[in-house]
Amino acid sequence: MNDFTKDFAQALFNPDKINDLLRKELQQAVNNLLEAELTAFLGYDPYARNGWNTGNSRNGAYFRKVDTQFGPIEVQVPRDRNGQFHQHTLPDYKQHSDVLESTIIKLYSKGVTTREIADLIEKMYGSHYSPAQVSNISKQMLPKVEAYHKRKLSDKFFCVYLDATYLPLRRETFEREAVYIAIGIKPNGHKEVIDYCIAPSENIEVWTEMLQNMRFRGLMEIESDLLVFYNYPKQIRASIYSTSMIESFNNVIKRKAKPKAEFPTEQSLDAFIGIQAMSYNDRYFNRIHKGFGQVQDTLESYFD
């Protein structure tokens, strides 16, 4: 559960606190997007060496208040030294922006791809972004995805489901590439997308490397005889025999990817799936899988 989810849960029964929390989150999101816009315009990150002697640079910011349904927010609109940068996140001279809120909420909660970002901005504001600019903006989500791949894993999973699905990805040519996915259930019944990886096709070598990486990150014990489900408590037999859990997650990925003809890079596909995985883990953080709550102590004993 991330900090925003925790804060939201604490404020759930106080409308004033919820509005204040959403106002702060929206303000941070707008400011992050404005800074990403300037980065896309200049073509280099703050303090990057490749920005030296380019003829233009960052030049502070001016402040602007925007009224929203959650209350007023203060945004910092960045400036460039040559005065050529014109932001497109905020409509000119417009203090109320329901469209902006919808765009930001979709961008930050769904982890949209570069193609979706470009479509949304052009549809809402009539401004065209080049692929390089859109890619730069979408990279704001990449550190979170990288942290997800490197996070320490729980040391015990009662069962783990492995499956691969195929999504369109362009490298030198257009191909459908395999997305390897591992979803597990802990002895306490909590479900988690443990990890995933992308490869041109499905083979045992990639599965082996992925499982070794999971062990390196802390996952030490899995029950070895998963197919002998009649040996396990009857309360959970039906729920672990079915593969509907991982099939359902695969279907969500395919459904959300369907509007896109292809992912332009492996990085964009990685970010897209990473956001779906993190969203799944947040959603099921405290939910107990069917039957597991009744036999948690029994399941823990399998690891003794």
Side-chain angles (χ1 to χ4, degrees), residues 82-123:
N82 292 347
Q84 298 171 340
F85 171 68
H86 178 69
Q87 60 83 24
H88 299 287
T89 297
L90 300 172
D92 289 342
Y93 309 111
K94 187 176 182 182
Q95 299 297 305
H96 295 81
S97 182
D98 293 337
V99 171
L100 170 62
E101 290 168 11
S102 298
T103 302
I104 298 300
I105 290 171
K106 181 174 177 64
L107 179 65
Y108 275 76
S109 67
K110 300 298 183 183
V112 295
T113 65
T114 56
R115 188 183 300 275
E116 288 177 313
I117 294 172
D119 289 345
L120 282 169
I121 292 177
E122 187 162 12
K123 181 179 179 181

Side-chain angles (χ1 to χ4, degrees), residues 26-38 59-66 73-79 85 87 89-90:
L26 180 61
Q27 178 173 290
Q28 185 62 52
V30 172
N31 285 325
N32 288 347
L33 190 55
L34 285 167
E35 184 59 38
E37 258 203 283
L38 180 59
N59 187 32
Y62 65 90
F63 295 85
R64 173 176 166 186
K65 285 189 176 180
V66 178
I73 62 174
E74 185 173 70
V75 297
Q76 301 179 43
V77 182
R79 296 180 294 199
F85 171 68
Q87 60 83 24
T89 297
L90 300 172

Side-chain angles (χ1 to χ4, degrees), residues 35 171 175 228-229 268 277:
E35 184 59 38
R171 293 187 191 268
E175 299 286 350
V228 193
F229 63 95
S268 65

Side-chain angles (χ1 to χ4, degrees), residues 1 5-6 9 186 188-191 280-289:
M1 182 181 294
T5 306
K6 293 178 181 177
K186 300 176 185 178
N188 62 8
H190 293 172
K191 296 180 287 188
Y280 181 97
N281 291 349
D282 282 344
R283 186 163 64 252
Y284 290 102
F285 181 77
N286 279 323
R287 297 187 189 182
I288 297 177
H289 195 57

